[in-house]
Amino acid sequence: MSSKSGMEQVLVENEVQQVRLLDSVNDDHGGVIVELSESMDSKVFASMLKASLALWRSQGKRGVWIKVPIELVNLVEAAVKEGFWFHHAEPKYLMLAFWIPEGAHTLPANASHRVGVGAFVMNKKREVLVVQEKSGLFRGTGVWKFPTGVVDEEEDICAAAMREVKEETAIDTEFVEVLAFRQSHKSFFDKSDLFFVCMLRPLTFDIEKQESEIEDAQWMPWDEYVAQPFVQKHELLKHLVGIWKAKEDEAYFGFSPVPITSRFPDQKSYLYVNDRDLKGSKVRMSQTA
Amino acid sequence: MSSKSGMEQVLVENEVQQVRLLDSVNDDHGGVIVELSESMDSKVFASMLKASLALWRSQGKRGVWIKVPIELVNLVEAAVKEGFWFHHAEPKYLMLAFWIPEGAHTLPANASHRVGVGAFVMNKKREVLVVQEKSGLFRGTGVWKFPTGVVDEEEDICAAAMREVKEETAIDTEFVEVLAFRQSHKSFFDKSDLFFVCMLRPLTFDIEKQESEIEDAQWMPWDEYVAQPFVQKHELLKHLVGIWKAKEDEAYFGFSPVPITSRFPDQKSYLYVNDRDLKGSKVRMSQTA
């Protein structure tokens, strides 16, 4: 994968020097990616970086990415002194970025949204699957709420909804639809939040609550759930109760996942569409034809 | 805002020392937030951090956040040595996190998704608003595509779709619906992507293309748009063409934004729902009653 490494002659500030360069791979946008893995002195790194930048500049490279594992945090300052900025970070690494050409960079924006799911699961006795949480906003309030959770990086929304229900209550489900979603802002620091309300069909019925996070779980009669003062007062839940009522009458349709292939053949995506309307429309079209 | 600062007596390792503490504010979850702003020597910072951590521990604090502006990058290494990890980063700052109690932390997950919008805008002559881009995947391919863009932090999806159309073509629009959305993974590094396909109604019709990013823009006859080999081959677009055809027959309904109030009274969110079905259901209910 490495496009260059070892000792090379590079022209830096009109002098020919012997300098070790950073290992890098080319990306698909005319830039390079460096994944640091070797501990080194920050001064040695600084000179390698300077020399590498001079070479990349002479080669007409555009964006430069440096992924710094947290163990090599001592190298961050030197890169920032060369003009690198923070692009994004995860617990174990920091991604630094630099733009060689003149003018504004065209590097992709950082992830801006956290994604959550809520799972509405009702059985044939008109009971809804609800939990009481051990921590968070509703701890100790006695409020029964539908299972919710965070969608992980690289996790499908439909898979996340089923996983959360399974983890919190041990109930197996089949994904039906996204009934609605909410976008809100400043959910933590400056990041925004997308919350997908999903409907799932239960396949098993014996609840086993998760010890670590769940205080209690039950199948609760729908009218009792709705009668909770918390549900009556909460604007989002009031809307959702309306949707669920319409859903019971088979008068409401959300978005169902349709698998599609992405640019990369090994990668499946889901397109969420109003499948009932699409199918109805196709039926009508074929009847007309 | 600051809960403590200046010189205080704290007990560290059984010795009473005079140490300056870091300025911090309490968060809503039993933790503290430090926003560094003053340049200092990293050794001075390290001793202030140690003393502050000892105090916070004795106070039963939980999560500790340190926001490090990029100018103070010299302080990052000292914090990591104390056990802090990278939580998230933006160009101008790095957010470090630490968890004082025993056991797994309950700090919020980092943002995992980038959010994009595509805008489907059709006029009454059955022409669709399309552009050719100066950069990116489709540069120089002659492909006419509908306007797309990235949703910024703190920006509503509906607002982002209208903004992108305005920026790229100068056309004013009214937001109608989210017709569908796609979730895909590994869109850049390990981050996932949510792409919302929106339908907008044009309010003006004279195109003025954006010089910086747009090669050309036009109202294109719908059949010509669909006939493009690129549209015929692209799985997502084939689905969308089906949706737009159904939409023309008024046989397809997506999700429309309904403003709702968040927990913070000054903060509006949007709930996206199938409003047609909801309204239809209410009409039916009132007719039954």
Side-chain angles (χ1 to χ4, degrees), chain A residues 106-113 183, chain B residues 113-118 133 147-153 155-157 159-161 163-164 167-168 188 193-195 213:
Chain A
T106 63
L107 298 175
N110 188 5
S112 52
H113 285 64
Q183 187 193 22
Chain B
H113 286 62
R114 196 166 41 153
V115 179
V117 284
E133 290 175 345
T148 54
V150 172
V151 178
D152 297 328
E153 271 176 18
E155 186 179 34
D156 290 313
I157 288 163
R163 174 184 55 72
E164 285 291 345
E167 280 177 9
E168 296 192 357
F188 76 103
D193 188 274
L194 274 162
F195 179 69
E213 289 177 31

PDB file of all heavy atoms in Angstrom, chain A residues 106-113 183, chain B residues 113-118 133 147-153 155-157 159-161 163-164 167-168 188 193-195 213:
ATOM      1  N   THR A 106     -11.328  21.331  -0.230  1.00  0.00           N
ATOM      2  CA  THR A 106     -12.563  20.623  -0.587  1.00  0.00           C
ATOM      3  C   THR A 106     -12.617  19.276   0.130  1.00  0.00           C
ATOM      4  O   THR A 106     -13.214  18.326  -0.355  1.00  0.00           O
ATOM      5  CB  THR A 106     -12.654  20.394  -2.113  1.00  0.00           C
ATOM      6  OG1 THR A 106     -11.563  19.556  -2.519  1.00  0.00           O
ATOM      7  CG2 THR A 106     -12.592  21.701  -2.885  1.00  0.00           C
ATOM      8  N   LEU A 107     -11.990  19.197   1.298  1.00  0.00           N
ATOM      9  CA  LEU A 107     -12.023  17.948   2.071  1.00  0.00           C
ATOM     10  C   LEU A 107     -13.433  17.741   2.632  1.00  0.00           C
ATOM     11  O   LEU A 107     -14.152  18.708   2.882  1.00  0.00           O
ATOM     12  CB  LEU A 107     -11.009  18.024   3.226  1.00  0.00           C
ATOM     13  CG  LEU A 107      -9.545  18.189   2.794  1.00  0.00           C
ATOM     14  CD1 LEU A 107      -8.649  18.374   4.012  1.00  0.00           C
ATOM     15  CD2 LEU A 107      -9.087  16.985   1.975  1.00  0.00           C
ATOM     16  N   PRO A 108     -13.852  16.475   2.824  1.00  0.00           N
ATOM     17  CA  PRO A 108     -15.209  16.234   3.334  1.00  0.00           C
ATOM     18  C   PRO A 108     -15.395  16.802   4.734  1.00  0.00           C
ATOM     19  O   PRO A 108     -14.455  16.856   5.536  1.00  0.00           O
ATOM     20  CB  PRO A 108     -15.324  14.709   3.348  1.00  0.00           C
ATOM     21  CG  PRO A 108     -13.924  14.200   3.347  1.00  0.00           C
ATOM     22  CD  PRO A 108     -13.111  15.220   2.598  1.00  0.00           C
ATOM     23  N   ALA A 109     -16.635  17.242   5.003  1.00  0.00           N
ATOM     24  CA  ALA A 109     -16.958  17.750   6.334  1.00  0.00           C
ATOM     25  C   ALA A 109     -16.939  16.601   7.331  1.00  0.00           C
ATOM     26  O   ALA A 109     -17.151  15.444   6.971  1.00  0.00           O
ATOM     27  CB  ALA A 109     -18.336  18.390   6.308  1.00  0.00           C
ATOM     28  N   ASN A 110     -16.700  16.928   8.562  1.00  0.00           N
ATOM     29  CA  ASN A 110     -16.742  15.956   9.655  1.00  0.00           C
ATOM     30  C   ASN A 110     -18.189  15.500   9.876  1.00  0.00           C
ATOM     31  O   ASN A 110     -19.137  16.176   9.485  1.00  0.00           O
ATOM     32  CB  ASN A 110     -16.207  16.643  10.917  1.00  0.00           C
ATOM     33  CG  ASN A 110     -16.017  15.682  12.065  1.00  0.00           C
ATOM     34  OD1 ASN A 110     -16.186  14.467  11.930  1.00  0.00           O
ATOM     35  ND2 ASN A 110     -15.661  16.227  13.215  1.00  0.00           N
ATOM     36  N   ALA A 111     -18.347  14.349  10.509  1.00  0.00           N
ATOM     37  CA  ALA A 111     -19.681  13.877  10.897  1.00  0.00           C
ATOM     38  C   ALA A 111     -20.305  14.911  11.830  1.00  0.00           C
ATOM     39  O   ALA A 111     -19.649  15.407  12.742  1.00  0.00           O
ATOM     40  CB  ALA A 111     -19.583  12.526  11.592  1.00  0.00           C
ATOM     41  N   SER A 112     -21.567  15.232  11.590  1.00  0.00           N
ATOM     42  CA  SER A 112     -22.205  16.317  12.328  1.00  0.00           C
ATOM     43  C   SER A 112     -23.362  15.837  13.196  1.00  0.00           C
ATOM     44  O   SER A 112     -23.832  16.563  14.059  1.00  0.00           O
ATOM     45  CB  SER A 112     -22.743  17.345  11.336  1.00  0.00           C
ATOM     46  OG  SER A 112     -23.556  16.677  10.364  1.00  0.00           O
ATOM     47  N   HIS A 113     -23.826  14.619  12.963  1.00  0.00           N
ATOM     48  CA  HIS A 113     -25.036  14.150  13.635  1.00  0.00           C
ATOM     49  C   HIS A 113     -24.798  12.835  14.369  1.00  0.00           C
ATOM     50  O   HIS A 113     -24.170  11.921  13.849  1.00  0.00           O
ATOM     51  CB  HIS A 113     -26.158  13.907  12.621  1.00  0.00           C
ATOM     52  CG  HIS A 113     -26.782  15.168  12.101  1.00  0.00           C
ATOM     53  ND1 HIS A 113     -26.091  16.099  11.364  1.00  0.00           N
ATOM     54  CD2 HIS A 113     -28.052  15.650  12.215  1.00  0.00           C
ATOM     55  CE1 HIS A 113     -26.910  17.094  11.045  1.00  0.00           C
ATOM     56  NE2 HIS A 113     -28.095  16.855  11.546  1.00  0.00           N
ATOM     57  N   GLN A 183     -35.248  15.722  13.861  1.00  0.00           N
ATOM     58  CA  GLN A 183     -33.899  16.292  13.849  1.00  0.00           C
ATOM     59  C   GLN A 183     -33.840  17.381  14.901  1.00  0.00           C
ATOM     60  O   GLN A 183     -34.684  18.276  14.900  1.00  0.00           O
ATOM     61  CB  GLN A 183     -33.579  16.878  12.464  1.00  0.00           C
ATOM     62  CG  GLN A 183     -32.131  17.337  12.344  1.00  0.00           C
ATOM     63  CD  GLN A 183     -31.873  18.200  11.116  1.00  0.00           C
ATOM     64  OE1 GLN A 183     -32.794  18.788  10.568  1.00  0.00           O
ATOM     65  NE2 GLN A 183     -30.620  18.304  10.720  1.00  0.00           N
TER      66      GLN A 183
ATOM     67  N   HIS B 113     -22.511  10.216  11.949  1.00  0.00           N
ATOM     68  CA  HIS B 113     -23.046  10.328  10.596  1.00  0.00           C
ATOM     69  C   HIS B 113     -22.860  11.728  10.015  1.00  0.00           C
ATOM     70  O   HIS B 113     -23.103  12.723  10.698  1.00  0.00           O
ATOM     71  CB  HIS B 113     -24.540  10.027  10.582  1.00  0.00           C
ATOM     72  CG  HIS B 113     -24.875   8.569  10.736  1.00  0.00           C
ATOM     73  ND1 HIS B 113     -24.550   7.838  11.861  1.00  0.00           N
ATOM     74  CD2 HIS B 113     -25.497   7.700   9.892  1.00  0.00           C
ATOM     75  CE1 HIS B 113     -24.972   6.582  11.718  1.00  0.00           C
ATOM     76  NE2 HIS B 113     -25.545   6.470  10.531  1.00  0.00           N
ATOM     77  N   ARG B 114     -22.484  11.739   8.748  1.00  0.00           N
ATOM     78  CA  ARG B 114     -22.572  12.960   7.987  1.00  0.00           C
ATOM     79  C   ARG B 114     -23.954  12.960   7.349  1.00  0.00           C
ATOM     80  O   ARG B 114     -24.483  11.901   7.037  1.00  0.00           O
ATOM     81  CB  ARG B 114     -21.504  12.943   6.912  1.00  0.00           C
ATOM     82  CG  ARG B 114     -21.242  14.291   6.325  1.00  0.00           C
ATOM     83  CD  ARG B 114     -19.970  14.260   5.538  1.00  0.00           C
ATOM     84  NE  ARG B 114     -19.876  13.024   4.772  1.00  0.00           N
ATOM     85  CZ  ARG B 114     -19.178  12.947   3.633  1.00  0.00           C
ATOM     86  NH1 ARG B 114     -18.556  14.005   3.183  1.00  0.00           N
ATOM     87  NH2 ARG B 114     -19.091  11.810   2.985  1.00  0.00           N
ATOM     88  N   VAL B 115     -24.559  14.113   7.165  1.00  0.00           N
ATOM     89  CA  VAL B 115     -25.906  14.172   6.608  1.00  0.00           C
ATOM     90  C   VAL B 115     -25.891  15.009   5.331  1.00  0.00           C
ATOM     91  O   VAL B 115     -25.346  16.112   5.318  1.00  0.00           O
ATOM     92  CB  VAL B 115     -26.904  14.761   7.637  1.00  0.00           C
ATOM     93  CG1 VAL B 115     -28.301  14.841   7.050  1.00  0.00           C
ATOM     94  CG2 VAL B 115     -26.920  13.893   8.903  1.00  0.00           C
ATOM     95  N   GLY B 116     -26.456  14.454   4.273  1.00  0.00           N
ATOM     96  CA  GLY B 116     -26.515  15.155   2.998  1.00  0.00           C
ATOM     97  C   GLY B 116     -27.954  15.284   2.521  1.00  0.00           C
ATOM     98  O   GLY B 116     -28.850  14.595   3.010  1.00  0.00           O
ATOM     99  N   VAL B 117     -28.167  16.194   1.579  1.00  0.00           N
ATOM    100  CA  VAL B 117     -29.489  16.359   0.968  1.00  0.00           C
ATOM    101  C   VAL B 117     -29.355  16.406  -0.542  1.00  0.00           C
ATOM    102  O   VAL B 117     -28.357  16.888  -1.087  1.00  0.00           O
ATOM    103  CB  VAL B 117     -30.186  17.673   1.414  1.00  0.00           C
ATOM    104  CG1 VAL B 117     -30.732  17.549   2.819  1.00  0.00           C
ATOM    105  CG2 VAL B 117     -29.263  18.881   1.291  1.00  0.00           C
ATOM    106  N   GLY B 118     -30.371  15.890  -1.198  1.00  0.00           N
ATOM    107  CA  GLY B 118     -30.522  16.058  -2.639  1.00  0.00           C
ATOM    108  C   GLY B 118     -31.862  16.741  -2.856  1.00  0.00           C
ATOM    109  O   GLY B 118     -32.803  16.476  -2.109  1.00  0.00           O
ATOM    110  N   GLU B 133     -21.384  19.719 -12.030  1.00  0.00           N
ATOM    111  CA  GLU B 133     -20.464  20.214 -11.001  1.00  0.00           C
ATOM    112  C   GLU B 133     -19.046  20.399 -11.531  1.00  0.00           C
ATOM    113  O   GLU B 133     -18.593  19.639 -12.384  1.00  0.00           O
ATOM    114  CB  GLU B 133     -20.449  19.245  -9.818  1.00  0.00           C
ATOM    115  CG  GLU B 133     -21.757  19.278  -9.038  1.00  0.00           C
ATOM    116  CD  GLU B 133     -21.813  18.224  -7.936  1.00  0.00           C
ATOM    117  OE1 GLU B 133     -20.984  17.295  -7.963  1.00  0.00           O
ATOM    118  OE2 GLU B 133     -22.668  18.351  -7.062  1.00  0.00           O
ATOM    119  N   PRO B 147     -29.359  19.074  -7.607  1.00  0.00           N
ATOM    120  CA  PRO B 147     -28.458  19.713  -6.633  1.00  0.00           C
ATOM    121  C   PRO B 147     -28.364  18.900  -5.331  1.00  0.00           C
ATOM    122  O   PRO B 147     -29.374  18.375  -4.859  1.00  0.00           O
ATOM    123  CB  PRO B 147     -29.124  21.070  -6.362  1.00  0.00           C
ATOM    124  CG  PRO B 147     -29.979  21.339  -7.560  1.00  0.00           C
ATOM    125  CD  PRO B 147     -30.455  19.986  -8.017  1.00  0.00           C
ATOM    126  N   THR B 148     -27.154  18.789  -4.823  1.00  0.00           N
ATOM    127  CA  THR B 148     -26.916  18.050  -3.576  1.00  0.00           C
ATOM    128  C   THR B 148     -25.967  18.855  -2.692  1.00  0.00           C
ATOM    129  O   THR B 148     -25.286  19.752  -3.179  1.00  0.00           O
ATOM    130  CB  THR B 148     -26.244  16.692  -3.858  1.00  0.00           C
ATOM    131  OG1 THR B 148     -25.059  16.931  -4.629  1.00  0.00           O
ATOM    132  CG2 THR B 148     -27.157  15.738  -4.607  1.00  0.00           C
ATOM    133  N   GLY B 149     -25.924  18.509  -1.439  1.00  0.00           N
ATOM    134  CA  GLY B 149     -24.995  19.198  -0.547  1.00  0.00           C
ATOM    135  C   GLY B 149     -25.000  18.600   0.843  1.00  0.00           C
ATOM    136  O   GLY B 149     -25.756  17.669   1.118  1.00  0.00           O
ATOM    137  N   VAL B 150     -24.157  19.141   1.684  1.00  0.00           N
ATOM    138  CA  VAL B 150     -23.993  18.644   3.046  1.00  0.00           C
ATOM    139  C   VAL B 150     -24.814  19.499   4.015  1.00  0.00           C
ATOM    140  O   VAL B 150     -24.834  20.720   3.891  1.00  0.00           O
ATOM    141  CB  VAL B 150     -22.499  18.656   3.437  1.00  0.00           C
ATOM    142  CG1 VAL B 150     -22.314  18.322   4.911  1.00  0.00           C
ATOM    143  CG2 VAL B 150     -21.714  17.679   2.568  1.00  0.00           C
ATOM    144  N   VAL B 151     -25.501  18.844   4.950  1.00  0.00           N
ATOM    145  CA  VAL B 151     -26.242  19.550   5.996  1.00  0.00           C
ATOM    146  C   VAL B 151     -25.250  19.939   7.093  1.00  0.00           C
ATOM    147  O   VAL B 151     -24.529  19.098   7.610  1.00  0.00           O
ATOM    148  CB  VAL B 151     -27.353  18.648   6.592  1.00  0.00           C
ATOM    149  CG1 VAL B 151     -28.086  19.351   7.719  1.00  0.00           C
ATOM    150  CG2 VAL B 151     -28.327  18.205   5.501  1.00  0.00           C
ATOM    151  N   ASP B 152     -25.196  21.216   7.394  1.00  0.00           N
ATOM    152  CA  ASP B 152     -24.268  21.680   8.429  1.00  0.00           C
ATOM    153  C   ASP B 152     -24.759  21.306   9.818  1.00  0.00           C
ATOM    154  O   ASP B 152     -25.953  21.066  10.026  1.00  0.00           O
ATOM    155  CB  ASP B 152     -24.140  23.206   8.351  1.00  0.00           C
ATOM    156  CG  ASP B 152     -23.535  23.659   7.033  1.00  0.00           C
ATOM    157  OD1 ASP B 152     -22.699  22.922   6.476  1.00  0.00           O
ATOM    158  OD2 ASP B 152     -23.909  24.753   6.572  1.00  0.00           O
ATOM    159  N   GLU B 153     -23.829  21.282  10.764  1.00  0.00           N
ATOM    160  CA  GLU B 153     -24.203  21.196  12.172  1.00  0.00           C
ATOM    161  C   GLU B 153     -25.225  22.281  12.466  1.00  0.00           C
ATOM    162  O   GLU B 153     -25.060  23.433  12.005  1.00  0.00           O
ATOM    163  CB  GLU B 153     -22.990  21.467  13.059  1.00  0.00           C
ATOM    164  CG  GLU B 153     -22.188  20.251  13.392  1.00  0.00           C
ATOM    165  CD  GLU B 153     -20.950  20.619  14.205  1.00  0.00           C
ATOM    166  OE1 GLU B 153     -20.904  21.723  14.785  1.00  0.00           O
ATOM    167  OE2 GLU B 153     -20.041  19.798  14.215  1.00  0.00           O
ATOM    168  N   GLU B 155     -28.115  22.742  11.342  1.00  0.00           N
ATOM    169  CA  GLU B 155     -28.963  23.173  10.223  1.00  0.00           C
ATOM    170  C   GLU B 155     -30.076  22.151  10.005  1.00  0.00           C
ATOM    171  O   GLU B 155     -29.832  20.942  10.030  1.00  0.00           O
ATOM    172  CB  GLU B 155     -28.126  23.306   8.947  1.00  0.00           C
ATOM    173  CG  GLU B 155     -28.907  23.889   7.774  1.00  0.00           C
ATOM    174  CD  GLU B 155     -28.071  24.042   6.503  1.00  0.00           C
ATOM    175  OE1 GLU B 155     -27.185  23.207   6.269  1.00  0.00           O
ATOM    176  OE2 GLU B 155     -28.316  24.995   5.761  1.00  0.00           O
ATOM    177  N   ASP B 156     -31.312  22.632   9.787  1.00  0.00           N
ATOM    178  CA  ASP B 156     -32.415  21.725   9.505  1.00  0.00           C
ATOM    179  C   ASP B 156     -32.283  21.157   8.100  1.00  0.00           C
ATOM    180  O   ASP B 156     -31.866  21.860   7.179  1.00  0.00           O
ATOM    181  CB  ASP B 156     -33.750  22.466   9.654  1.00  0.00           C
ATOM    182  CG  ASP B 156     -34.042  22.799  11.103  1.00  0.00           C
ATOM    183  OD1 ASP B 156     -33.887  21.903  11.953  1.00  0.00           O
ATOM    184  OD2 ASP B 156     -34.390  23.956  11.396  1.00  0.00           O
ATOM    185  N   ILE B 157     -32.681  19.902   7.943  1.00  0.00           N
ATOM    186  CA  ILE B 157     -32.624  19.236   6.642  1.00  0.00           C
ATOM    187  C   ILE B 157     -33.402  20.039   5.596  1.00  0.00           C
ATOM    188  O   ILE B 157     -32.919  20.260   4.483  1.00  0.00           O
ATOM    189  CB  ILE B 157     -33.191  17.803   6.781  1.00  0.00           C
ATOM    190  CG1 ILE B 157     -32.197  16.942   7.565  1.00  0.00           C
ATOM    191  CG2 ILE B 157     -33.492  17.182   5.424  1.00  0.00           C
ATOM    192  CD1 ILE B 157     -32.786  15.663   8.118  1.00  0.00           C
ATOM    193  N   ALA B 159     -34.104  23.217   5.581  1.00  0.00           N
ATOM    194  CA  ALA B 159     -33.401  24.471   5.302  1.00  0.00           C
ATOM    195  C   ALA B 159     -32.178  24.216   4.423  1.00  0.00           C
ATOM    196  O   ALA B 159     -31.880  24.998   3.509  1.00  0.00           O
ATOM    197  CB  ALA B 159     -32.981  25.138   6.613  1.00  0.00           C
ATOM    198  N   ALA B 160     -31.481  23.114   4.680  1.00  0.00           N
ATOM    199  CA  ALA B 160     -30.278  22.798   3.905  1.00  0.00           C
ATOM    200  C   ALA B 160     -30.627  22.544   2.440  1.00  0.00           C
ATOM    201  O   ALA B 160     -29.905  22.980   1.534  1.00  0.00           O
ATOM    202  CB  ALA B 160     -29.576  21.580   4.502  1.00  0.00           C
ATOM    203  N   ALA B 161     -31.739  21.847   2.190  1.00  0.00           N
ATOM    204  CA  ALA B 161     -32.134  21.556   0.807  1.00  0.00           C
ATOM    205  C   ALA B 161     -32.440  22.865   0.066  1.00  0.00           C
ATOM    206  O   ALA B 161     -31.981  23.069  -1.062  1.00  0.00           O
ATOM    207  CB  ALA B 161     -33.352  20.637   0.803  1.00  0.00           C
ATOM    208  N   ARG B 163     -31.324  25.859   0.849  1.00  0.00           N
ATOM    209  CA  ARG B 163     -30.078  26.627   0.749  1.00  0.00           C
ATOM    210  C   ARG B 163     -29.214  26.135  -0.424  1.00  0.00           C
ATOM    211  O   ARG B 163     -28.699  26.938  -1.208  1.00  0.00           O
ATOM    212  CB  ARG B 163     -29.290  26.529   2.056  1.00  0.00           C
ATOM    213  CG  ARG B 163     -27.904  27.174   1.984  1.00  0.00           C
ATOM    214  CD  ARG B 163     -27.090  27.000   3.256  1.00  0.00           C
ATOM    215  NE  ARG B 163     -26.917  25.615   3.697  1.00  0.00           N
ATOM    216  CZ  ARG B 163     -26.131  24.720   3.092  1.00  0.00           C
ATOM    217  NH1 ARG B 163     -25.439  25.030   2.018  1.00  0.00           N
ATOM    218  NH2 ARG B 163     -26.035  23.486   3.571  1.00  0.00           N
ATOM    219  N   GLU B 164     -29.078  24.824  -0.552  1.00  0.00           N
ATOM    220  CA  GLU B 164     -28.237  24.290  -1.632  1.00  0.00           C
ATOM    221  C   GLU B 164     -28.788  24.689  -3.007  1.00  0.00           C
ATOM    222  O   GLU B 164     -28.028  25.050  -3.902  1.00  0.00           O
ATOM    223  CB  GLU B 164     -28.134  22.761  -1.531  1.00  0.00           C
ATOM    224  CG  GLU B 164     -27.205  22.274  -0.418  1.00  0.00           C
ATOM    225  CD  GLU B 164     -25.716  22.566  -0.671  1.00  0.00           C
ATOM    226  OE1 GLU B 164     -25.346  22.887  -1.824  1.00  0.00           O
ATOM    227  OE2 GLU B 164     -24.934  22.480   0.281  1.00  0.00           O
ATOM    228  N   GLU B 167     -28.061  28.390  -3.481  1.00  0.00           N
ATOM    229  CA  GLU B 167     -26.638  28.648  -3.718  1.00  0.00           C
ATOM    230  C   GLU B 167     -26.214  28.235  -5.126  1.00  0.00           C
ATOM    231  O   GLU B 167     -25.505  28.953  -5.814  1.00  0.00           O
ATOM    232  CB  GLU B 167     -25.775  27.875  -2.713  1.00  0.00           C
ATOM    233  CG  GLU B 167     -25.667  28.531  -1.355  1.00  0.00           C
ATOM    234  CD  GLU B 167     -24.862  27.711  -0.352  1.00  0.00           C
ATOM    235  OE1 GLU B 167     -24.232  26.701  -0.748  1.00  0.00           O
ATOM    236  OE2 GLU B 167     -24.886  28.067   0.827  1.00  0.00           O
ATOM    237  N   GLU B 168     -26.649  27.035  -5.545  1.00  0.00           N
ATOM    238  CA  GLU B 168     -26.147  26.493  -6.814  1.00  0.00           C
ATOM    239  C   GLU B 168     -26.845  27.093  -8.029  1.00  0.00           C
ATOM    240  O   GLU B 168     -26.252  27.166  -9.105  1.00  0.00           O
ATOM    241  CB  GLU B 168     -26.284  24.968  -6.825  1.00  0.00           C
ATOM    242  CG  GLU B 168     -25.425  24.295  -5.752  1.00  0.00           C
ATOM    243  CD  GLU B 168     -25.316  22.776  -5.908  1.00  0.00           C
ATOM    244  OE1 GLU B 168     -25.950  22.204  -6.812  1.00  0.00           O
ATOM    245  OE2 GLU B 168     -24.581  22.171  -5.102  1.00  0.00           O
ATOM    246  N   PHE B 188     -16.717   8.255   4.582  1.00  0.00           N
ATOM    247  CA  PHE B 188     -15.342   8.743   4.654  1.00  0.00           C
ATOM    248  C   PHE B 188     -14.738   8.177   5.923  1.00  0.00           C
ATOM    249  O   PHE B 188     -15.305   8.270   6.983  1.00  0.00           O
ATOM    250  CB  PHE B 188     -15.239  10.268   4.561  1.00  0.00           C
ATOM    251  CG  PHE B 188     -15.618  11.031   5.798  1.00  0.00           C
ATOM    252  CD1 PHE B 188     -14.639  11.568   6.628  1.00  0.00           C
ATOM    253  CD2 PHE B 188     -16.945  11.226   6.122  1.00  0.00           C
ATOM    254  CE1 PHE B 188     -14.980  12.281   7.763  1.00  0.00           C
ATOM    255  CE2 PHE B 188     -17.294  11.935   7.257  1.00  0.00           C
ATOM    256  CZ  PHE B 188     -16.318  12.458   8.079  1.00  0.00           C
ATOM    257  N   ASP B 193     -23.221   7.742   6.560  1.00  0.00           N
ATOM    258  CA  ASP B 193     -23.802   8.848   5.816  1.00  0.00           C
ATOM    259  C   ASP B 193     -25.313   8.657   5.721  1.00  0.00           C
ATOM    260  O   ASP B 193     -25.793   7.555   5.479  1.00  0.00           O
ATOM    261  CB  ASP B 193     -23.174   8.816   4.405  1.00  0.00           C
ATOM    262  CG  ASP B 193     -23.545  10.018   3.566  1.00  0.00           C
ATOM    263  OD1 ASP B 193     -24.604   9.987   2.927  1.00  0.00           O
ATOM    264  OD2 ASP B 193     -22.766  10.983   3.570  1.00  0.00           O
ATOM    265  N   LEU B 194     -26.051   9.714   5.948  1.00  0.00           N
ATOM    266  CA  LEU B 194     -27.496   9.709   5.722  1.00  0.00           C
ATOM    267  C   LEU B 194     -27.792  10.741   4.648  1.00  0.00           C
ATOM    268  O   LEU B 194     -27.394  11.900   4.769  1.00  0.00           O
ATOM    269  CB  LEU B 194     -28.239  10.067   7.015  1.00  0.00           C
ATOM    270  CG  LEU B 194     -28.522   8.897   7.946  1.00  0.00           C
ATOM    271  CD1 LEU B 194     -28.849   9.387   9.349  1.00  0.00           C
ATOM    272  CD2 LEU B 194     -29.686   8.048   7.428  1.00  0.00           C
ATOM    273  N   PHE B 195     -28.473  10.296   3.603  1.00  0.00           N
ATOM    274  CA  PHE B 195     -28.731  11.167   2.459  1.00  0.00           C
ATOM    275  C   PHE B 195     -30.240  11.282   2.274  1.00  0.00           C
ATOM    276  O   PHE B 195     -30.923  10.286   2.044  1.00  0.00           O
ATOM    277  CB  PHE B 195     -28.071  10.570   1.204  1.00  0.00           C
ATOM    278  CG  PHE B 195     -28.286  11.368  -0.041  1.00  0.00           C
ATOM    279  CD1 PHE B 195     -27.681  12.608  -0.195  1.00  0.00           C
ATOM    280  CD2 PHE B 195     -29.082  10.892  -1.069  1.00  0.00           C
ATOM    281  CE1 PHE B 195     -27.880  13.355  -1.354  1.00  0.00           C
ATOM    282  CE2 PHE B 195     -29.284  11.635  -2.234  1.00  0.00           C
ATOM    283  CZ  PHE B 195     -28.677  12.865  -2.363  1.00  0.00           C
ATOM    284  N   GLU B 213     -18.638  26.569  -7.910  1.00  0.00           N
ATOM    285  CA  GLU B 213     -18.776  25.111  -7.864  1.00  0.00           C
ATOM    286  C   GLU B 213     -19.527  24.513  -9.047  1.00  0.00           C
ATOM    287  O   GLU B 213     -19.458  23.316  -9.282  1.00  0.00           O
ATOM    288  CB  GLU B 213     -19.541  24.701  -6.581  1.00  0.00           C
ATOM    289  CG  GLU B 213     -18.734  24.888  -5.307  1.00  0.00           C
ATOM    290  CD  GLU B 213     -19.548  24.546  -4.067  1.00  0.00           C
ATOM    291  OE1 GLU B 213     -20.429  23.666  -4.152  1.00  0.00           O
ATOM    292  OE2 GLU B 213     -19.303  25.157  -3.018  1.00  0.00           O
TER     293      GLU B 213
END
